[in-house]
Amino acid sequence: MASAQVMTTTPIPEAAQPVKINTPLIRYKQLHPTFGAEASTDFSTITPALVDEIKRGLARYGVLVFRKTGLNDARHVEMSKLFGDLDDIAPFVGGLGQKNRLSSDYLFDVGNVNPDGTVMQPGGMRDLLLRCNYHFHADSAFNPRRAGISLLLAHELPPPGLGGETEFADTRSAYQALDDARKEEINDWVVCNSQLNCRRNANIDENGKLNPLLDTDEHRFGKHKLVQVHEPSGRTNLYIAAHAHHVEGMPIEEGQKQLRELLEHAGKPEFTFKVTWKDVGDLVVWDNTCTLHRSVPGNYAGKYKRDLRRTTVHDMSSQAWGLNGEGATWRSGLD
């Protein structure tokens, strides 16, 4: 008797589930062996998640360069507020009778455009004050609460090839490169930083003569430890700038000699790179607590506009106030 045939069916596979691919908020391309990255993202929607990712990028790279962001003044300030408390220029506008040509007191005018829209000419008082920017510095090292993150946006640029780049220095790697004896020697130094110190040093001619417009010794010092742990990365950092006037407890001339040597060390080619501004809307974001920066002079001066506008986020770390007393209200240039 023939056996009954049993019909079997081949199971129909379930529909394949789509593979979820997480697109990174920001893509990075490293610019220097130790720090700095060109970063790309979409700024059409600014969210806390995007800002958190920028902070993570800064912890690693120290400097981030974004191209053609499409940001304007209002969105620049809006995004900056998501980073933390912002510094402002209101005390200077009101206290010193200065005129703010920009739309917000949270925008620092670090370009070469006069309030009437003309190009700033070399030799004027504003030019003399801004020459400090040609020397490696960290924003607001001279104030009781130092700067944390700075966000610098291009609004108008000179023709290519005429200078005006921004150069950065990696002070974490600069510290790491010091020998053990030097690290031990400087470990407990407290540096007294003065805005006037940088301005005076930037206005000494080739014969060693100080411009008489800067002939004053009315320093006000922001005190910070020279050697610090950079909290976002956990790496030890050399917190030094052209504002550094002397080392507390050390003879002035000896302290200034030591500080010059350390600042020159941090500015060596192996620790630095330059950012070339290419387009309106380019944005450079950096962490002042682990990098230095300076403006590179050029042949554009007195001829073409270099309109750059900066927002400055107060340092939010435990070292923000240095040794100046938390909550101090004085500001360099006002008191």
Side-chain angles (χ1 to χ4, degrees):
M1 180 176 177
S3 59
Q5 293 184 349
V6 179
M7 191 174 193
T8 61
T9 58
T10 303
I12 299 174
E14 296 181 9
Q17 296 298 312
V19 177
K20 187 176 182 180
I21 300 175
N22 292 321
T23 303
L25 279 173
I26 302 177
R27 296 183 184 276
Y28 301 100
K29 179 183 178 183
Q30 192 152 340
L31 294 171
H32 181 275
T34 68
F35 78 128
E38 189 156 307
S40 57
T41 192
D42 181 4
F43 284 100
S44 60
T45 302
I46 298 169
T47 64
L50 176 60
V51 169
D52 286 345
E53 179 56 35
I54 293 175
K55 288 180 179 178
R56 283 190 285 271
L58 287 173
R60 178 178 178 184
Y61 297 108
V63 180
L64 299 177
V65 182
F66 298 92
R67 301 294 185 184
K68 297 183 179 180
T69 62
L71 294 173
N72 57 18
D73 281 349
R75 298 184 69 245
H76 182 188
V77 172
E78 172 195 348
M79 181 174 72
S80 301
K81 287 180 178 179
L82 295 177
F83 283 86
D85 302 333
L86 295 188
D87 199 356
D88 69 276
I89 65 166
F92 300 96
V93 173
L96 300 179
Q98 296 179 356
K99 181 179 179 181
N100 182 14
R101 70 180 182 90
L102 305 180
S103 61
S104 170
D105 285 343
Y106 292 121
L107 291 169
F108 285 73
D109 186 356
V110 294
N112 67 343
V113 183
N114 292 318
D116 63 2
T118 58
V119 177
M120 182 178 71
Q121 295 301 305
M125 191 61 188
R126 185 161 180 262
D127 172 59
L128 299 183
L129 297 179
L130 288 177
R131 287 181 186 177
C132 175
N133 292 342
Y134 295 144
H135 298 256
F136 275 126
H137 63 283
D139 292 333
S140 298
F142 45 79
N143 276 329
R145 188 180 184 185
R146 66 183 184 176
I149 295 168
S150 291
L151 301 93
L152 187 62
L153 182 67
H155 283 257
E156 188 169 352
L157 297 169
L162 295 182
E165 301 91 347
T166 302
E167 187 172 20
F168 290 90
D170 178 2
T171 49
R172 290 179 292 188
S173 294
Y175 173 82
Q176 186 177 345
L178 296 173
D179 62 44
D180 290 343
R182 186 61 160 158
K183 288 177 182 176
E184 183 176 358
E185 179 187 14
I186 68 175
N187 188 65
D188 297 321
W189 288 5
V190 173
V191 178
C192 298
N193 299 281
S194 162
Q195 186 179 46
L196 178 61
N197 183 63
C198 185
R199 289 174 171 177
R200 283 169 57 95
N201 289 339
N203 285 282
I204 295 175
D205 65 21
E206 61 274 10
N207 298 315
K209 185 177 180 181
L210 174 68
N211 188 303
L213 293 174
L214 277 298
D215 191 10
T216 174
D217 283 316
E218 296 179 0
H219 295 278
R220 187 72 186 267
F221 296 113
K223 298 180 181 181
H224 292 274
K225 289 195 66 178
L226 174 66
V227 178
Q228 305 181 6
V229 173
H230 178 247
E231 292 177 8
S233 66
R235 295 175 59 192
T236 306
N237 177 64
L238 197 62
Y239 188 67
I240 191 170
H243 305 112
H245 181 268
H246 66 277
V247 178
E248 193 169 59
M250 186 180 294
I252 296 292
E253 290 188 3
E254 174 61 19
Q256 290 179 341
K257 175 179 177 292
Q258 295 279 359
L259 292 170
R260 279 195 302 271
E261 290 177 359
L262 289 167
L263 192 58
E264 289 171 3
H265 168 73
K268 289 179 179 177
E270 58 263 40
F271 307 128
T272 62
F273 77 96
K274 293 177 183 177
V275 173
T276 298
W277 297 91
K278 297 180 179 180
D279 297 286
V280 170
D282 285 357
L283 173 74
V284 182
V285 185
W286 67 88
D287 184 343
N288 288 283
T289 68
C290 68
T291 65
L292 301 175
H293 63 283
R294 71 180 190 96
S295 175
V296 178
N299 293 328
Y300 70 88
K303 303 173 186 176
Y304 299 99
K305 292 181 181 180
R306 180 180 182 266
D307 186 355
L308 300 178
R309 306 175 188 182
R310 189 191 78 223
T311 53
T312 307
V313 185
H314 286 301
D315 183 17
M316 309 293 283
S317 78
S318 66
Q319 302 167 100
W321 295 90
L323 286 80
N324 303 300
E326 185 170 347
T329 57
W330 64 267
R331 300 277 287 276
S332 178
L334 289 178
D335 297 301

